[in-house]
Amino acid sequence: MRSLVLSAFGAIAALGVATGAAAQEDFRAADLDRPIMVEDANPIEFRAWELEFGTRGGLAEGSQHLEGALELKAGLLRNVQIGVEVEPVLQRLGSGVGTETGLESASVHLLYGVRRETVSGPALAVRLDAASPGTGVLGNADPQGGLKGIASRSFGRLRLHGNGGYMIASESDGGDYWRGGLGGDYPWGLFSRALLADVYAEIPTSGARARVWTEVGMRIQISNVSVLDIGLATRLDEWEAGQPNVEIVLGFARVFGVGGTVPDYPNPSIR
Amino acid sequence: MPARPRTPSPSHLATLAVTIAITACGFPQRNDVYRLSAPYNFEFYDTHEPAARSFYAAHFAHFGAYELLMDPGPDLDQRMVEFESQVRAFVVDPPKFEPPADIVAPSWTRMAFETGQSMDWTHMLHSQLYDILTDERVRDKQAAGERAMAYYLSEAETAFSTRGYGHRWMEGGGPWAGAFRETYPAVNGILWAYHWHHAAVYEALMESDATSRAAELDRVIRVFADSVLADPPTVMPLTAEVAPRFSRMFPAAAHIFDNLHMMHDVANDVMASPLYTLPEKAAEIARLRDLMSYALQDETSAPAMPMGPGHEMSPASMRMPTLLPSGEWLPQGHPDANMGSMQDMMRELPPGPAPGGDAR
């Protein structure tokens, strides 16, 4: 498992080198899973594109696993972010039992920035998700879809984010569930690094036990357009017999632009 | 048997999403736009990192001063003295990357969001013109620069005007004029020194080859630290008087940057003025930003320059935008531009002609 995590880190580092000296301009953006599950209400900029790559791996006894995520986001309209994501997953089921691999799902989302933060009120956004079935025994059996509301509010340099929504899933994928969480980010010093933390829960409507995570991490700007994220996550509901199920989260994001038309120079008046 | 809780269906979710989108029509939104995609982006930073990082103390100084002035408590003078020390520390040891305005000034950027956005958008143009002048791969600097400016101006409400307003708004725009520089001359001096710095870097990048550009940049940074910052300008320098070659190539950009710098000073003055409540300051800053925008420049009369004590402009600002026989224009403040009369300066500047006609 350690070699898997190291390999993933190597891949991230290689991507960073290959893309030159730059990724996300905003080290402070609380992007979903980079490294916490609670996200902020600010969509990506109009005409910006962002490539994110991340891994999440756990070393729990008897079930070592590694999840990946590759996501491409774009600001195709003002205040609108659209993204596509694939999530490969690998799980080793104990010595001698074997290893399973698959694609948990492929998904698309649309995030709309309803309002920006003002003196009197928070930033608000709404996010629509749709996911396809996955592949292999680790993949989702059926399509899923959901809606989420997002609010972000600053208190000095501390920003708090509240997420809440509903996800529709088939019985074979565990059924519908409510999802939500509270998170925050705080810049470490004035520049280039931010600390993030959250508590996030998924509550099945079937009455089954809630799934609860808590996470802490950091985003570090490593170039003018690139950000590295690293974090620790744990499923609080799975803490049993003193064996905390701790995962390492590691990721990379790079923002870029793509061509586009520019109007002719208007030769404006300077008088 | 208890009833199963009612759960949303896909049609419920879609209806809710449409309702939210319609509701949003009345809300202020971010409307953030990404920089023009180009291979030269960040070339200045990658080639001349110390020079690029030398700008960051200015960003901190501008937005940090606004944030301090959000709370005009009795200890403000002392906080401003400590702030000046912080700024000078960043001059010597700047951060690795540009400090985001919303971290330096979290309250002010919420209050004056659109003005902060105009400043950031114009900083983006600053950055791209530095990149273009630095990048050896860009052969036609003029065409590349005008393409970057066309992209900048396409956000007409966010972009600053291309007209030569000189010092008119900061001196004649309202009763707040001069409030900051008179109350906090030391910090104001640093800011005006940086206005010199920004233009001087352009002029250094007008050198013909990479070696000369690097040497001239080193000289500019040295002069800035040793002389300009030690003995700051007593009036806000105009871009064209410090960077005549750059300003001749991009006269509209010279005015855009003068108007950006003037808006920085206007925001300082309004924030430092005891005549307004905080909501009134927000409204006044927004008003001035609109008046100095590119979108409204054909309808806007700029105020006359008040004369007399307390109102300052550089002698170069008497040099008015000038059309050369070649068809080129020289911006206000250019050393080769024609001198205007004092009467010209003491009259309102009427709305300019429609864009697309008379000037490059």
Side-chain angles (χ1 to χ4, degrees):
Chain A
M1 186 64 203
R2 283 187 177 81
S3 63
L4 280 173
V5 172
L6 288 173
S7 300
F9 185 80
I12 291 168
L15 183 59
V17 170
T19 50
Q24 162 134 342
E25 286 182 312
D26 188 358
F27 62 88
R28 202 186 186 193
D31 290 343
L32 181 62
D33 284 334
R34 304 268 56 85
I36 62 174
M37 293 189 189
V38 168
E39 62 184 319
D40 68 38
N42 297 335
I44 195 171
E45 295 164 311
F46 178 43
R47 299 195 188 105
W49 292 70
E50 187 172 323
L51 184 66
E52 293 185 354
F53 174 70
T55 61
R56 173 183 286 256
L59 298 168
E61 190 171 313
S63 178
Q64 299 169 348
H65 70 279
L66 184 67
E67 299 167 25
L70 181 63
E71 182 173 26
L72 180 65
K73 294 192 295 198
L76 295 185
L77 300 166
R78 286 170 203 269
N79 307 304
V80 174
Q81 166 185 310
I82 294 171
V84 294
E85 183 179 16
V86 291
E87 297 178 26
V89 59
L90 178 151
Q91 189 164 20
R92 199 160 80 185
L93 304 166
S95 58
V97 179
T99 300
E100 295 286 351
T101 60
L103 189 68
E104 185 174 327
S105 69
S107 59
V108 297
H109 78 259
L110 184 149
L111 188 151
Y112 178 56
V114 176
R115 81 188 294 273
R116 66 169 170 80
E117 188 177 5
T118 61
V119 172
S120 58
L124 298 174
V126 60
R127 174 175 170 138
L128 277 167
D129 288 281
S132 73
T135 62
V137 297
L138 299 173
N140 291 340
D142 297 299
Q144 298 187 2
L147 179 68
K148 181 165 71 172
I150 306 167
S152 293
R153 183 69 176 149
S154 301
F155 300 90
R157 288 162 62 195
L158 171 68
R159 287 194 315 177
L160 294 181
H161 314 292
N163 293 184
Y166 190 84
M167 200 74 180
I168 298 167
S170 68
E171 294 301 324
S172 50
D173 286 327
D176 294 0
Y177 58 89
W178 294 98
R179 56 178 177 162
L182 184 66
D185 65 78
Y186 192 82
W188 184 345
L190 268 182
F191 315 105
S192 306
R193 272 161 288 181
L195 295 170
L196 303 96
D198 75 343
V199 176
Y200 175 83
E202 294 177 350
I203 305 170
T205 55
S206 64
R209 190 167 66 169
R211 305 177 286 271
V212 183
W213 289 260
T214 186
E215 299 156 309
V216 61
M218 178 183 283
R219 288 172 64 88
I220 305 162
Q221 189 159 347
I222 56 174
S223 81
N224 279 298
V225 290
S226 305
V227 166
L228 191 69
D229 66 85
I230 185 165
L232 293 173
T234 185
R235 276 277 296 269
L236 292 176
D237 58 298
E238 288 186 343
W239 282 38
E240 290 173 352
Q243 291 192 1
N245 176 11
V246 176
E247 297 175 313
I248 298 170
V249 184
L250 199 57
F252 172 84
R254 184 181 197 279
V255 71
F256 57 98
V258 178
T261 55
V262 178
D264 289 339
Y265 183 58
N267 200 20
S269 168
I270 68 164
R271 285 194 296 193
Chain B
M1 177 179 164
R4 189 169 183 263
R6 191 173 171 213
T7 55
S9 69
S11 62
H12 284 134
L13 296 178
T15 305
L16 182 58
V18 170
T19 305
I20 290 168
I22 293 170
T23 307
C25 293
F27 287 143
Q29 292 176 290
R30 293 188 65 86
N31 296 313
D32 290 329
V33 179
Y34 192 59
R35 67 177 58 233
L36 174 63
S37 171
Y40 53 71
N41 280 335
F42 301 109
E43 186 68 16
F44 178 62
Y45 184 97
D46 293 340
T47 308
H48 304 293
E49 184 179 320
R53 291 171 62 187
S54 72
F55 286 80
Y56 299 160
H59 292 282
F60 176 73
H62 277 305
F63 290 104
Y66 302 153
E67 189 71 5
L68 273 184
L69 293 165
M70 290 289 291
D71 176 19
D75 62 340
L76 179 58
D77 289 355
Q78 179 56 35
R79 284 186 285 134
M80 199 61 83
V81 170
E82 293 164 5
F83 173 68
E84 183 195 342
S85 301
Q86 267 186 298
V87 173
R88 290 189 182 277
F90 281 134
V91 171
V92 176
D93 184 18
K96 178 79 173 167
F97 300 108
E98 181 176 326
D102 66 346
I103 287 180
V104 179
S107 304
W108 187 84
T109 50
R110 279 204 305 277
M111 184 189 81
F113 180 84
E114 286 81 6
T115 301
Q117 194 170 49
S118 285
M119 291 169 174
D120 267 352
W121 186 239
T122 311
H123 294 156
M124 182 277 298
L125 178 65
H126 253 316
S127 169
Q128 289 202 305
L129 291 177
Y130 291 129
D131 293 336
I132 287 166
L133 295 176
T134 301
D135 195 332
E136 292 282 335
R137 296 167 298 178
V138 180
R139 294 293 176 199
D140 190 341
K141 309 283 189 193
Q142 180 101 36
E146 289 182 352
R147 185 168 185 269
M149 288 167 59
Y151 185 74
Y152 168 82
L153 294 171
S154 68
E155 296 294 317
E157 292 178 356
T158 306
F160 284 111
S161 169
T162 60
R163 297 186 66 198
Y165 292 140
H167 301 81
R168 288 171 182 264
W169 295 104
M170 61 188 274
E171 299 295 346
W176 37 259
F180 184 79
R181 70 164 180 258
E182 288 159 13
T183 315
Y184 305 108
V187 175
N188 190 69
I190 295 174
L191 297 175
W192 281 355
Y194 264 110
H195 294 172
W196 177 92
H197 166 280
H198 289 17
V201 168
Y202 277 123
E203 201 62 2
L205 293 176
M206 292 299 290
E207 295 295 321
S208 58
D209 61 87
T211 307
S212 307
R213 283 196 291 272
E216 188 60 12
L217 269 178
D218 287 347
R219 189 190 69 79
V220 163
I221 302 302
R222 249 192 342 268
V223 169
F224 171 70
D226 296 345
S227 303
V228 183
L229 202 55
D231 184 17
T234 54
V235 293
M236 185 188 84
L238 295 179
T239 302
E241 61 183 299
V242 182
R245 286 179 295 173
F246 166 80
S247 302
R248 185 167 182 155
M249 181 178 258
F250 300 117
H255 284 171
I256 289 167
F257 297 142
D258 288 340
N259 292 331
L260 163 71
H261 296 164
M262 185 159 56
M263 187 68 228
H264 272 308
D265 284 358
V266 164
N268 267 334
D269 285 344
V270 173
M271 291 302 297
S273 172
L275 302 175
Y276 301 92
T277 64
L278 209 50
E280 288 169 342
K281 289 177 181 180
E284 182 68 353
I285 288 171
R287 183 181 77 88
L288 269 296
R289 177 260 193 181
D290 287 349
L291 287 170
M292 276 193 264
S293 72
Y294 179 61
L296 295 184
Q297 72 175 15
D298 298 327
E299 305 156 30
T300 300
S301 296
M305 269 297 294
M307 296 296 157
H311 296 290
E312 304 284 352
M313 62 179 184
S314 61
S317 61
M318 295 290 289
R319 296 192 176 276
M320 310 306 287
T322 300
L323 179 62
L324 299 176
S326 63
E328 291 176 287
W329 278 83
L330 299 176
Q332 184 173 13
H334 194 283
D336 296 333
N338 295 335
M339 287 292 284
S341 69
M342 196 59 79
Q343 284 69 31
D344 290 336
M345 303 301 294
M346 293 171 68
R347 279 194 293 267
E348 276 192 1
L349 189 63
D358 74 338
R360 131 147 300 180

